[in-house]
Amino acid sequence: MKRAAVVAVGLIVVVALAWSVGAPAPTVLNAAVGSNVNHVPSFVGVEKGIFLKHGIDMKLKLLNTGQEMSKALQAGEVEIIGSAYSNFPIAVERGMAAKGVVGLTGDRTSKYSDQAVAVITRKASGITKVENLAGKRVGLAVGGTGDEYLGVLLQKKGIPRDKVQILNVPPGNTLSALQGGSVDAVATWEPFGSLVEMKVPDAVVVSRGGGHIGYFINMGVRNDLIDKRPEVVERYVIGMAEATWYTRKQLDEAAEISTRWVPGLEVAVARKALGNMTFDARITAHTIAAWDENVRVLVEQKKLRAPLPWQQGVEPRFIEKVMKSHPQFFQ
């Protein structure tokens, strides 16, 4: 409560200063973001007053999965969501009217970027490689990035998915599920992978990254906002570009900030997790190619009915403009 009060007072001061020079009232935007370190730039942007500086009063709604974010947008609770390629195309196919307008996570110089995803077990399980997962229980958020990642690993090793017992484990329960023995391994993203590595004494990383999938998250905005208020979307994109830039420059501070947003997250875990993250606001030819690659995988995994063109889920014109107008945020 004390932290919230301090932040609120700081924001009120900034707003008061803006009003003192005759600036218009900031536009309120609501964003559903993950309760994890993928969304540290959004936390940083709010706490450091970056969004407010660009005329956006950002309200964050923390949720556990991309599926929950999509439901929040479709219910009209938010205008913006994190759009991971592992689940965003599925939501668009099912009628969600939104497009990614600015990058968040993932190495934008390649169509494969998955260092933030891992399959982890305990030494006692006897699992030392992906092939050993056959007949074992793996905990993951069904339909999430860990699910997609595991599916690709199994496919590359020629292991049918039905040979592995998949248990739906919310990200926040990953550690307790592995510690308690209800699963033999977990497939998850950060900070939960780093949390397991640091808190389970006999943790064994079966696979981390490896260039198997393009784990990219853009921030998606409702289509009606893109069409009717493009100037607001542009200011939001500028704010996100600056927030990702600040996060890259100040990783230790960003780690500390994240602990005030992600329940139970310790600074040491946050720092380790951020070491596996890449924050980049750009949308490049590589990330467009990654959309098509992810869609192909999702069709193969029978999560999508048919290929979905990237134009239905990505709108790069805003970030392309901001890259020219604010080059300092892309160093």
Side-chain angles (χ1 to χ4, degrees):
M1 198 70 181
K2 182 178 180 181
R3 193 278 311 171
V6 171
V7 172
V9 169
L11 295 182
I12 290 170
V13 170
V14 173
V15 173
L17 289 174
W19 272 102
S20 69
V21 295
T27 301
V28 175
L29 289 179
N30 300 281
V33 300
S35 181
N36 55 58
V37 293
N38 284 323
H39 292 271
V40 170
S42 289
F43 308 151
V44 168
V46 170
E47 285 212 13
K48 303 302 292 186
I50 293 172
F51 292 122
L52 207 58
K53 181 174 70 174
H54 296 291
I56 301 296
D57 183 4
M58 182 61 63
K59 309 294 185 184
L60 301 182
K61 181 182 182 71
L62 269 65
L63 298 171
N64 289 322
T65 66
Q67 294 93 322
E68 292 176 40
M69 296 178 213
S70 298
K71 290 177 182 177
L73 187 138
Q74 290 175 300
E77 298 171 6
V78 299
E79 297 84 33
I80 302 170
I81 63 171
S83 55
Y85 284 5
S86 59
N87 54 71
F88 192 70
I90 299 170
V92 172
E93 182 183 66
R94 294 175 181 175
M96 185 178 70
K99 292 179 182 177
V101 298
V102 59
L104 178 66
T105 66
D107 178 2
R108 307 275 159 161
T109 65
S110 169
K111 73 174 181 178
Y112 297 109
S113 180
D114 51 14
Q115 185 63 20
V117 197
V119 175
I120 306 174
T121 185
R122 300 182 68 171
K123 187 175 181 180
S125 72
I127 300 170
T128 60
K129 55 186 178 180
V130 174
E131 291 90 328
N132 298 144
L133 294 171
K136 300 293 186 177
R137 302 163 299 167
V138 180
L140 50 77
V142 172
T145 302
D147 190 346
E148 182 189 10
Y149 180 72
L150 177 67
V152 172
L153 289 178
L154 295 175
Q155 190 270 333
K156 287 185 174 182
K157 296 298 183 180
I159 303 170
R161 183 182 173 88
D162 60 11
K163 295 298 183 182
V164 177
Q165 185 180 352
I166 303 297
L167 300 179
N168 192 18
V169 176
N173 294 348
T174 299
L175 175 62
S176 60
L178 192 60
Q179 283 180 323
S182 60
V183 298
D184 302 303
V186 294
T188 191
W189 55 86
E190 294 293 6
F192 309 106
S194 290
L195 178 66
V196 169
E197 284 189 77
M198 294 183 71
K199 297 297 182 180
V200 176
D202 62 341
V204 176
V205 178
V206 179
S207 178
R208 174 181 284 284
H212 299 289
I213 65 171
Y215 180 28
F216 294 97
I217 301 178
N218 294 330
M219 294 306 295
V221 175
R222 264 185 6 209
N223 288 348
D224 60 343
L225 189 62
I226 291 174
D227 294 338
K228 297 175 182 178
R229 304 194 68 185
E231 76 288 348
V232 171
V233 177
E234 183 177 337
R235 283 191 277 119
Y236 168 68
V237 171
I238 295 171
M240 278 301 302
E242 183 172 355
T244 54
W245 169 75
Y246 189 96
T247 299
R248 289 195 303 273
K249 283 182 56 184
Q250 306 292 342
L251 276 181
D252 284 345
E253 183 183 3
E256 183 179 349
I257 288 174
S258 70
T259 65
R260 297 196 282 271
W261 292 85
V262 181
L265 180 62
E266 299 173 3
V267 172
V269 174
R271 285 175 178 159
K272 180 177 175 60
L274 292 184
N276 292 314
M277 309 290 296
T278 301
F279 297 105
D280 193 336
R282 296 176 298 169
I283 294 176
T284 69
H286 299 290
T287 43
I288 296 296
W291 171 280
D292 292 335
E293 175 71 4
N294 274 270
V295 163
R296 181 190 65 77
V297 170
L298 293 173
V299 170
E300 284 184 357
Q301 294 182 354
K302 301 188 185 307
K303 296 173 183 176
L304 272 178
R305 293 189 296 271
L308 192 74
W310 68 264
Q311 291 89 344
Q312 291 185 238
V314 184
E315 176 48 85
R317 77 175 190 264
F318 295 100
I319 188 61
E320 289 173 353
K321 181 178 180 181
V322 171
M323 286 173 66
K324 295 176 181 178
S325 63
H326 295 75
Q328 69 271 27
F329 297 148
F330 301 91
Q331 296 174 358

